[in-house]
Amino acid sequence: MSWTQFRRFFPVRNRLLLGIGIRDISPSLRYKSGTRPGVDLGAVTEEAVGDQKSVEDIPGYGFLSSIYWYFIKGFHEKTHELQIVHKKKYGPIWKSSLGNNVVIHVANSDMIEEILRQEGKYPIRAQMPHWREYREIRGHAYGPLCEYGQEWNHMRSMLNPKLLKPKEVSNYSPAINKVVTDFMQKIHWLRQTQGGGLMVYDIATHLYNFAFEGICTILFETRMGCLEETIPEETQKFIAAVFEMFYTSSILPLLPKAMWQYIPIWKRFIAAWDYIFYISEKLINKKMKDIQEKMEKGLEVQGEYLTYLLTNTKMTPWDIYGSLSELLTAAVDTTSNTTSWILYNLAKEPSIQQQLYEEINSVIPGDQIPLTKDFSHMPLLKAVVKETLRLYPVVPGNARLVEKDLVIGGYHFPKNTLFHLCHYAVSLDDSSFVEPQRFQPERWLRDMTREKKPHPFASIPFGFGTRSCLGKRVAELEMYSVISRLIKHFEVRPDPSGKVVTTKTRTLLAPGGSIDLQFIDRM
């Protein structure tokens, strides 16, 4: 982006740091020279808290430094790496400020644990004003990602059981395995038609389609055709709408809300969500009609997640439209990006890949297809996934708006302080992990590693507590299923060109280029 473009799209008073919505920070952190109108400063001054320091004492940077780091030094698509740069410069805690607005960045396992363990019954993440604004305009219900407070807690109580209980999630295994079978066939087809019998180009895109098909199979109890040789037009538009929604979502919070309705990117954002809701409502309404017809005929109603929500909860169709639309958008990248990095690293580490192949083959010999219970006997497979999520956390940084005064690292923080938890920097900290840049799954195997046990908050890719990732167990099931089948049938080798793929921040952490791999049939 040129300086002219930057000035046009990011007015000075609304340019943000690290993509966090500064305008949504509580007024309790908007202060100047130690005073905030209408707020009792006794709790945040050094005199009132003894030896504790205040927010003003924390090192950090402002707007001009942001311009330097993001645009002159080129970190605008590498904000995860900037966490490490700033940790080295400022220490484990620093602030970024724009005028009177402050975000506190934390890159220390102990401090992150303190913050997360002190959150209340209804944890608050950074606000999502653009998502909420869309729902208010269209009259849609909030979903689990943009709802807060007691309403969020009530919603999660109905969404959780069929997604977080291992026994319930195991019921999705047969459906996921059918999707994996189709993906295996897609790999064979790609090799023959585009890769000279060996190569599969841009595996991340194909895994995105796999993950999209998998989550739709679970949430909507239907197949979308994402893995067909020619993807149905409506499905392709559905996939494109999710891509567009995430792209526009990364830009809108940087702009003042008053100008949204006048800019093209807001219209694109609205159009993307409109199509997501259109397809979601269409699929949900079809299921409701099927259930109603069966009930009228006196037939037994059977199904999985959507059937459960429609028949065994107090959620209205309106609530289900909002919840499933958000769950869909949040469920794809974790599986697709992580699986892409797993294959990329296994291709570079043939000895680890061979160990994994032997483990998988010993548990499911011959032509057996793995079931959920089989994965409990594959510790290396689980370690490979865990190590990949450490190196490439899909969400490199999370946010928390604390609900009470806290003392962290010797600093006193008032209620409503916005913390940015730097998970990427912490997961690559050599104080927690030996040779943190290396792909070493064995570090997670107690009987194989000599490392000290990692800090429990050094790598928490799915979050912590009641606001942790709702789709964690489904994502793990998908990854275990597809990796075990792929490694059992193929030896994965690197791109012969020797191309190195780095990471890129696009709200979420993603491959910065095409991951191209060789898939060689095992004899």
Side-chain angles (χ1 to χ4, degrees):
M1 178 181 289
S2 68
W3 173 246
T4 301
Q5 291 173 314
F6 180 81
R7 292 177 61 191
R8 183 167 70 250
F9 286 109
F10 303 94
V12 170
R13 63 188 179 89
N14 288 297
R15 291 169 199 159
L16 309 183
L17 310 173
L18 288 178
I20 296 176
I22 295 285
R23 292 185 310 283
D24 299 311
I25 297 175
S26 167
S28 66
L29 269 186
R30 295 172 184 167
Y31 59 85
K32 184 176 182 180
S33 300
T35 60
R36 297 194 303 274
V39 179
D40 179 10
L41 277 183
V44 297
T45 61
E46 284 194 44
E47 291 76 13
V49 296
D51 294 334
Q52 296 163 7
K53 298 179 181 180
S54 72
V55 173
E56 291 181 328
D57 297 308
I58 298 175
Y61 60 93
F63 171 68
L64 292 179
S65 291
S66 297
I67 295 297
Y68 171 78
W69 287 111
Y70 294 134
F71 298 98
I72 297 177
K73 297 292 289 185
F75 277 95
H76 59 287
E77 291 186 338
K78 296 282 186 178
T79 55
H80 56 293
E81 294 182 5
L82 199 53
Q83 293 178 17
I84 296 175
V85 172
H86 285 155
K87 182 178 181 180
K88 289 180 179 178
K89 181 178 178 65
Y90 300 113
I93 188 167
W94 66 94
K95 67 185 176 186
S96 58
S97 58
L98 180 59
N100 295 329
N101 301 303
V102 178
V103 177
I104 306 301
H105 307 268
V106 179
N108 173 273
S109 300
D110 288 320
M111 293 180 185
I112 289 176
E113 180 178 12
E114 286 186 68
I115 293 167
L116 292 178
R117 287 198 184 280
Q118 295 187 66
E119 60 188 14
K121 186 177 180 180
Y122 312 126
I124 303 174
R125 297 191 299 189
Q127 303 290 324
M128 303 180 75
H130 48 322
W131 282 36
R132 293 175 67 89
E133 178 73 7
Y134 168 79
R135 282 145 184 77
E136 291 165 8
I137 290 173
R138 291 290 192 249
H140 292 309
Y142 297 132
L145 299 182
C146 64
E147 184 60 280
Y148 296 93
Q150 188 173 353
E151 293 80 6
W152 165 82
N153 188 60
H154 178 65
M155 182 186 303
R156 282 288 298 250
S157 71
M158 291 183 285
L159 296 172
N160 284 359
K162 288 282 185 176
L163 287 180
L164 289 178
K165 291 184 178 181
K167 184 177 180 180
E168 297 290 349
V169 173
S170 68
N171 293 328
Y172 306 136
S173 186
I176 291 299
N177 271 322
K178 290 179 180 178
V179 179
V180 174
T181 296
D182 289 349
F183 184 70
M184 300 285 287
Q185 294 173 352
K186 186 66 176 283
I187 292 292
H188 283 289
W189 181 79
L190 289 167
R191 289 193 313 172
Q192 296 305 315
T193 60
Q194 302 174 16
L198 288 178
M199 291 293 297
V200 174
Y201 296 99
D202 195 13
I203 190 67
T205 293
H206 303 299
L207 281 167
Y208 189 94
N209 290 348
F210 158 76
F212 204 100
E213 185 77 10
I215 196 61
C216 285
T217 300
I218 292 174
L219 295 182
F220 302 113
E221 300 178 21
T222 190
R223 295 295 299 269
M224 300 296 295
C226 300
L227 298 174
E228 295 178 8
E229 293 181 9
T230 302
I231 300 175
E233 181 179 1
E234 191 172 70
T235 297
Q236 189 63 63
K237 289 182 179 179
F238 195 23
I239 295 171
V242 174
F243 265 102
E244 177 77 345
M245 185 278 296
F246 270 118
Y247 173 74
T248 53
S249 284
S250 67
I251 297 176
L252 282 169
L254 308 178
L255 306 171
K257 184 177 178 180
M259 71 179 295
W260 286 354
Q261 62 180 312
Y262 303 108
I263 57 177
I265 201 165
W266 173 249
K267 296 177 181 177
R268 289 166 54 188
F269 176 78
I270 293 287
W273 267 122
D274 280 347
Y275 201 80
I276 292 169
F277 269 89
Y278 162 71
I279 296 296
S280 298
E281 291 178 14
K282 180 179 178 179
L283 296 174
I284 294 167
N285 290 343
K286 181 178 182 297
K287 176 59 67 173
M288 285 195 294
K289 182 179 178 182
D290 292 343
I291 292 174
Q292 184 177 1
E293 290 176 351
K294 287 182 179 179
M295 294 178 68
E296 290 174 351
K297 294 177 181 179
L299 300 176
E300 183 181 2
V301 175
Q302 294 181 329
E304 292 298 340
Y305 195 66
L306 181 53
T307 299
Y308 159 77
L309 294 182
L310 290 169
T311 60
N312 292 281
T313 71
K314 295 181 180 180
M315 294 183 75
T316 66
W318 185 68
D319 294 326
I320 296 172
Y321 296 152
S323 293
L324 294 199
S325 294
E326 288 191 13
L327 287 176
L328 166 71
T329 61
V332 179
D333 288 273
T334 297
T335 298
S336 60
N337 288 342
T338 304
T339 306
S340 299
W341 291 120
I342 288 172
L343 294 174
Y344 177 75
N345 280 283
L346 287 176
K348 296 194 300 179
E349 299 287 349
S351 63
I352 297 175
Q353 183 178 168
Q354 180 62 27
Q355 293 174 43
L356 180 59
Y357 167 71
E358 292 171 1
E359 176 183 85
I360 294 167
N361 209 39
S362 68
V363 177
I364 48 168
D367 295 329
Q368 291 184 39
I369 292 178
L371 302 175
T372 307
K373 63 180 179 63
D374 295 320
F375 300 130
S376 62
H377 303 291
M378 300 182 189
L380 182 56
L381 174 63
K382 292 187 175 183
V384 164
V385 172
K386 197 166 186 177
E387 176 71 348
T388 304
L389 284 167
R390 179 189 70 83
L391 283 169
Y392 310 93
V394 178
V395 180
N398 211 335
R400 281 294 188 272
L401 193 69
V402 296
E403 301 173 85
K404 59 183 179 181
D405 287 19
L406 295 179
V407 176
I408 303 292
Y411 295 97
H412 187 280
F413 298 98
K415 176 182 178 181
N416 294 329
T417 297
L418 181 63
F419 286 98
H420 173 225
L421 311 181
C422 301
H423 297 305
Y424 183 82
V426 171
S427 69
L428 292 176
D429 192 335
D430 57 13
S431 67
S432 295
F433 302 100
V434 177
E435 297 182 278
Q437 299 287 349
R438 286 191 59 188
F439 178 69
Q440 293 182 312
E442 64 271 17
R443 72 174 81 244
W444 301 104
L445 301 176
R446 293 181 181 178
D447 59 339
M448 295 175 63
T449 180
R450 295 181 180 178
E451 285 192 39
K452 64 179 182 180
K453 186 178 179 180
H455 191 289
F457 285 75
S459 178
I460 48 172
F462 293 107
F464 172 81
T466 57
R467 194 120 202 177
S468 60
C469 178
L470 184 54
K472 170 186 176 179
R473 297 198 184 280
V474 171
E476 289 175 336
L477 174 62
E478 290 179 317
M479 289 188 284
Y480 297 157
S481 299
V482 71
I483 289 297
S484 62
R485 299 270 300 275
L486 285 172
I487 297 303
K488 184 178 174 64
H489 289 87
F490 301 107
E491 179 186 351
V492 184
R493 294 182 183 175
D495 181 351
S497 71
K499 178 177 64 175
V500 175
V501 181
T502 59
T503 49
K504 180 179 181 179
T505 311
R506 291 191 300 242
T507 303
L508 304 174
L509 196 64
S514 174
I515 295 180
D516 308 325
L517 300 170
Q518 300 177 78
F519 285 80
I520 300 169
D521 293 314
R522 293 190 185 272
M523 303 302 292

